[in-house]
Amino acid sequence: MTRERQALFWIIGFAVFALLLNALSSILLPFVAGMAIAYFLDPVADWLEKRKFSRIVATTLILLAFFLTAAALVIMLFPLLKRQVVDLFQMIPNIVETLRMEAVPWLEGVVAEVPPETMDDIRVAVKDFAGNGAKWVTKVAANIWSGGLAFFNMLSLLVITPLVAFYLLRDWDLITEKIDSWLPRRAQPRIREQAGAINDTLAAFVRGQSSVCLVLALFYGIGLTLVGLKSGLLVGFGAGFISFIPYVGAAIGFAIGVGIASFQFSEWFSIGLVAVIFLVGQTLESYVLTPRLVGNRVGLHPVWIIFALLAGGA
């Protein structure tokens, strides 16, 4: 087969694969989640196998420990986070009223200076925008409903994911051996070498980045709670868990945290403490956590990690 035919074969193959992913996207989440769990727990299963555990027993013990730990965390944190969500929604009317009182005088001054014909255009634009917004919300609700109902989607995730994870983790070595048998004989050593390097780097990066997100979530959550910020644990956990995107987690958490603090506290000192927590967390992430927990694991020098974070932010 010529190089042109090989290239055409792979292009068509990837196009068909992308079309299949798009067509089956509504049912893939439990399978992707199960595959991710099996992938990251496979080293633990291999470790237990070396200590004379059968693969089935090792898989059962590992998944039981994993899902019981996840369930325990949800049971412990859900009531607290639920109360913080309620507190946050109770604050929203006061926030809206305060913003209205501040904005109305300013808007009245702006309206007084705007020509009548421009105001008519603005009214028409606002009316069209509101109509389009209502249509969009209706369409989103219809898509959620037609996609299989959110409740049943969540139920399938909770039921199917453990099953998929169990079977994949149990047969992981058999699956990899089968895929290995498909490799071209002449290229086997090179493909194995490159796949092993990709696997080691990817696993190290994800584990390191997960550790960074966990540390930041605990730091933000505990810090904001000690300051006395309402919904501080909710805001801190949210900011920490989306910190895998450089600067975004800290920026969103900073905006929401300082915004809530501005309405909750009357003195600037407490508002400043909330801001300092996010500034310290971002500094800790950029110059300590990410270089040490991610850079060392993927074999990159801390200077390259700091440069990459700044470049990504820019």
Side-chain angles (χ1 to χ4, degrees):
M1 184 182 290
T2 63
R3 290 184 178 273
E4 290 77 10
R5 285 182 171 273
Q6 288 180 344
L8 181 62
F9 170 80
W10 284 109
I11 291 172
I12 294 174
F14 280 121
V16 172
F17 180 69
L19 290 174
L20 286 175
L21 285 182
N22 182 64
L24 300 174
S25 59
S26 61
I27 64 167
L28 286 180
L29 181 57
F31 296 93
V32 173
M35 186 182 299
I37 293 171
Y39 172 73
F40 289 110
L41 294 181
D42 178 63
V44 184
D46 292 338
W47 183 82
L48 289 177
E49 273 193 299
K50 292 178 182 179
R51 279 144 185 83
K52 309 304 180 183
F53 286 87
S54 69
R55 186 73 182 191
I56 294 179
V57 172
T59 299
T60 304
L61 292 176
I62 292 168
L63 290 179
L64 275 177
F66 177 82
F67 286 109
L68 286 176
T69 302
L73 289 174
V74 170
I75 291 171
M76 288 188 297
L77 292 177
F78 181 76
L80 181 59
L81 293 177
K82 178 183 177 182
R83 187 168 64 247
Q84 296 209 352
V85 170
V86 172
D87 292 340
L88 182 59
F89 275 98
Q90 289 177 344
M91 290 180 62
I92 290 177
N94 295 331
I95 295 175
V96 172
E97 180 62 21
T98 303
L99 290 175
R100 189 188 68 80
M101 293 176 62
E102 294 289 336
V104 165
W106 176 77
L107 288 174
E108 289 177 348
V110 171
V111 169
E113 298 177 1
V114 175
E117 58 273 12
T118 304
M119 283 303 302
D120 292 336
D121 293 338
I122 292 174
R123 290 191 185 95
V124 172
V126 170
K127 184 178 179 180
D128 292 340
F129 178 78
N132 293 332
K135 291 179 181 178
W136 181 81
V137 171
T138 305
K139 184 178 179 180
V140 169
N143 288 336
I144 293 173
W145 181 264
S146 63
L149 300 175
F151 172 76
F152 291 106
N153 287 334
M154 181 59 67
L155 187 63
S156 67
L157 179 66
L158 295 176
V159 173
I160 296 175
T161 299
L163 294 175
V164 173
F166 175 82
Y167 286 115
L168 286 179
L169 185 58
R170 186 194 67 178
D171 300 330
W172 192 266
D173 293 337
L174 299 177
I175 294 171
T176 53
E177 288 178 7
K178 186 66 175 179
I179 295 174
D180 184 75
S181 68
W182 297 341
L183 300 178
R185 296 302 176 196
R186 289 184 299 175
Q188 264 189 354
R190 178 61 60 86
I191 295 175
R192 288 172 180 168
E193 178 187 354
Q194 296 301 318
I198 292 171
N199 173 68
D200 293 341
T201 303
L202 179 63
F205 172 78
V206 174
R207 293 188 184 107
Q209 193 63 54
S210 300
S211 301
V212 171
C213 292
L214 180 60
V215 171
L216 287 176
L218 292 174
F219 175 79
Y220 289 142
I222 294 173
L224 295 176
T225 302
L226 292 177
V227 169
L229 183 72
K230 289 183 178 179
S231 304
L233 196 63
L234 180 67
V235 174
F237 279 9
F241 287 133
I242 61 173
S243 292
F244 61 90
I245 308 173
Y247 299 104
V248 171
I252 294 176
F254 180 89
I256 296 176
V258 172
I260 294 174
S262 300
F263 290 98
Q264 178 183 345
F265 302 119
S266 58
E267 67 279 1
W268 284 101
F269 179 75
S270 299
I271 300 173
L273 284 179
V274 173
V276 166
I277 288 173
F278 283 102
L279 292 176
V280 171
Q282 180 60 40
T283 304
L284 192 67
E285 175 195 2
S286 299
Y287 298 102
V288 179
L289 293 177
T290 301
R292 291 184 177 275
L293 295 179
V294 179
N296 290 345
R297 296 190 181 192
V298 301
L300 289 177
H301 194 275
V303 173
W304 280 115
I305 295 292
I306 294 170
F307 174 80
L309 286 173
L310 295 176

